[in-house]
Amino acid sequence: DRKEDHHLANATTISVADGVGGRPAGALASKIAIDMLRGAPENLSLRQLMPAIEAAVRARGAGDPASENMATTLDAAQLVEEERGYRMYGIHIGDGLAIVDDGTQLRQLTTAHTLGSQLASQRNPASARHPERTRLLRARGLHKVADVDAWDERAVLGNRYILSTDGLIDALGVDQFSRVLLRMRGADPQQAAATLVDFGLRSTRIPAGELDNLTVVMADIVSQARSERHTDSGDMDHSYAELTSARRPADLVGPCIPQVNAQQGHYGAQ
């Protein structure tokens, strides 16, 4: 089992992490990153949490020769309430992909930290055929200092955020990945994520037996009545959120707040 991907999807935060292949304990590194996001205090931003994740990955590797130099990619997005409204904040490091679908177009929010992407940004004609074009230049734990990219934008009801590890992108290619997203635009996040993974499993781009983990997390910004915001456990009420979307404003009662309605699709390669 080569399961090196881990993911998170709750009412305010989504994330995917991919343990770096060819390095020790990649699955452990990605699990550490996701577990720290899952248990993070609400007052910590994604950017503030990144040094702690880096330190935790390095500390775990330093204490075990089998885990030394482990590393992971990481993409995360978080819905944050501010004085002027709600915003989506995201961080990115590695070769994953973050996209937002605003209902009219797909916008890519991140650029892969690979040699190929770097060459492409320099308009180097070798970018598409360089033998090391997929080599990672940045990841958590890969170097002593590894800066993350950050993005943020106003949270708009109905927007869909898609985070994917590189396995699904490699299996489908960016063009087909985007076509499937557009085709599934009217579907709920769970159905759309499952369809993407299914297309990835049936892809012929990757030779048999070489398919990587396929992980994608999708989240729609939906509205929810304030009086129904929290369950007894303090988490957002997912079942209610799935019934109250931006497409059904007549269902809303009272003041409403945005919420992330998240679903994920995942395949662990054997």
Side-chain angles (χ1 to χ4, degrees):
D1 187 1
R2 294 190 298 111
K3 181 182 177 183
E4 294 181 328
D5 288 7
H6 286 87
H7 58 273
L8 169 66
N10 60 35
T12 59
T13 306
I14 57 174
S15 182
V16 294
D18 180 8
V20 177
R23 297 177 71 85
L28 178 58
S30 61
K31 184 178 186 301
I32 288 172
I34 294 300
D35 284 348
M36 291 192 69
L37 282 171
R38 182 179 289 110
E42 292 186 1
N43 62 339
L44 276 186
S45 69
L46 291 176
R47 286 295 295 268
Q48 291 172 327
L49 190 60
M50 290 306 101
I53 292 177
E54 180 77 23
V57 170
R58 290 189 172 280
R60 181 63 177 84
D64 181 2
S67 302
E68 188 176 3
N69 297 322
M70 64 183 181
T72 183
T73 70
L74 183 63
D75 280 275
Q78 186 174 53
L79 180 67
V80 177
E81 182 177 7
E82 298 182 341
E83 290 185 3
R84 296 185 178 182
Y86 287 79
R87 293 190 71 81
M88 285 293 289
Y89 286 89
I91 57 93
H92 163 72
I93 187 167
D95 54 7
L97 179 66
I99 292 176
V100 60
D101 182 359
D102 63 9
T104 61
Q105 64 177 341
L106 299 177
R107 288 188 288 112
Q108 189 169 325
L109 299 169
T110 59
T111 300
H113 296 141
T114 60
L115 179 60
S117 292
Q118 184 183 73
L119 293 174
S121 69
Q122 299 167 352
R123 298 186 178 181
N124 189 318
S127 62
R129 60 180 186 276
H130 194 287
E132 295 187 4
R133 61 186 177 277
T134 61
R135 178 163 61 88
L136 269 178
L137 302 181
R138 279 193 261 170
R140 295 282 74 169
L142 193 61
H143 304 291
K144 289 185 178 180
V145 178
D147 293 334
V148 299
D149 293 342
W151 56 266
D152 70 275
E153 61 183 31
R154 185 170 65 91
V156 178
L157 291 176
N159 277 8
R160 170 168 291 180
Y161 290 86
I162 303 101
L163 305 184
S164 176
T165 57
D166 69 317
L168 193 52
I169 305 302
D170 292 343
L172 294 177
V174 174
D175 289 343
Q176 186 181 11
F177 187 91
S178 299
R179 286 195 297 270
V180 176
L181 286 178
L182 293 173
R183 173 181 171 181
M184 301 302 295
R185 178 176 275 166
D188 61 57
Q190 183 173 13
Q191 182 182 0
T195 299
L196 267 173
V197 171
D198 183 58
F199 269 87
L201 289 172
R202 292 187 282 114
S203 172
T204 58
R205 286 171 54 95
I206 306 297
E210 296 183 17
L211 191 65
D212 196 0
N213 301 141
L214 309 179
T215 303
V216 61
V217 177
M218 292 190 187
D220 290 347
I221 304 296
V222 298
S223 53
Q224 178 177 340
R226 185 172 296 274
S227 61
E228 297 290 331
R229 183 179 184 184
H230 293 283
T231 63
D232 291 340
S233 64
D235 297 326
M236 295 288 189
D237 185 345
H238 289 273
S239 61
Y240 184 81
E242 291 171 355
L243 296 174
T244 54
S245 70
R247 297 184 180 88
R248 300 182 61 186
D251 291 344
L252 304 181
V253 179
C256 295
I257 59 172
Q259 170 181 333
V260 173
N261 177 22
Q263 298 291 343
Q264 63 279 332
H266 177 73
Y267 164 74
Q270 300 297 317

